[in-house]
Amino acid sequence: MRLFVAVNPPEPAVAELASAVHDLRALPGAERLRWAERPGWHFTLAFLGEVDEALLPELTERLGRAAHRHPAHALRLAGGGRFGDRVLWVGAEGEVETLRGLARSVIAGARRAGVVVDGTHSFHPHLTLARSGGGRVNLRPYVAALVDFRGREWRAERLELVRSRLPGGGVPGERPRYETIAAWELGR
Ligand code: 2AM
């Protein structure tokens, strides 16, 4: 099964972001972007890819330990950026170092459980808002529109192991479905 490990912002922070995204969607070219669906907005700490179900018991054990070792921490959604012209994201401010440490433990734990985790990219906390489909869209105006976005503070308290089911029917524009299959309170 296809898995990733994430932290999800709580509803009040999501609602503020939704209002900023509503404005972004009025910018030129917005209809050509694939917008991530609001219920799935998350910070990916590690993308695990296809994981053999046999590894799940050890993986969940190790992720639970990683969650235990890092405290709940204060974050806010703030600013924006892009990965080339492919991905538009909103960033995080606050106790980001704690989130980074958690991501490192998650990756190390997953590896010890036998999962092959791509380690070529350094962890860059971001919540993906939109991806460019085939059509090239200049993302700079979107990033500029997010510069002043600074949401309320919230506490990252939960680590989640999420299953991603890719759309099967080949329906253009269909999004993956996310399902949390295990979760742990941080620092407990
Ligand atoms: P992204 O937000 O930067 O696109 C579920 O697909 C999550 O895992 C997404 O948030 C995605 O990050 C992340 N991810 C990281 N590497 C990925 C990959 N190779 N394929 C799909 N998703 C990946």
Side-chain angles (χ1 to χ4, degrees):
M1 57 179 82
R2 191 178 166 87
L3 299 175
F4 64 97
V5 182
V7 165
N8 293 300
E11 184 48 35
V14 164
E16 283 174 340
L17 179 59
S19 149
V21 167
H22 181 262
D23 296 343
L24 294 180
R25 293 184 78 152
L27 292 174
E31 69 289 348
R32 281 184 286 133
L33 294 172
R34 279 185 295 121
W35 293 87
E37 280 183 287
R38 170 177 170 166
W41 281 349
H42 61 268
F43 285 92
T44 303
L45 300 190
F47 178 71
L48 308 183
E50 277 302 321
V51 174
D52 189 332
E53 252 184 274
L55 299 182
L56 269 187
E58 171 126 23
L59 175 64
T60 52
E61 169 73 30
R62 300 266 183 194
L63 293 180
R65 273 188 236 164
H68 170 72
R69 280 200 297 271
H70 298 271
H73 50 285
L75 297 174
R76 65 172 84 241
L77 302 171
R82 62 195 173 93
F83 296 140
D85 272 330
R86 293 175 297 107
V87 174
L88 172 70
W89 47 262
V90 65
E93 281 179 3
E95 295 178 283
V96 177
E97 277 314 306
T98 307
L99 187 69
R100 280 184 204 286
L102 177 62
R104 278 194 295 270
S105 290
V106 162
I107 291 168
R111 287 190 174 135
R112 274 184 222 114
V115 178
V116 179
V117 187
D118 175 8
T120 51
H121 304 289
S122 64
F123 173 64
H124 187 114
H126 68 278
L127 183 157
T128 294
L129 295 176
R131 297 178 175 84
S132 62
R136 270 250 182 285
V137 179
N138 177 11
L139 294 179
R140 285 186 182 84
Y142 296 83
V143 174
L146 281 169
V147 161
D148 293 328
F149 175 71
R150 207 159 171 269
R152 71 177 66 198
E153 189 175 280
W154 50 277
R155 285 182 76 70
E157 294 180 323
R158 233 162 91 95
L159 182 70
E160 302 193 19
L161 176 61
V162 186
R163 178 171 191 183
S164 167
R165 292 175 198 263
L166 299 177
V171 181
E174 212 186 320
R175 311 289 194 284
R177 281 184 297 122
Y178 299 143
E179 178 196 353
T180 296
I181 59 172
W184 305 267
E185 301 301 315
L186 294 181
R188 303 265 181 86

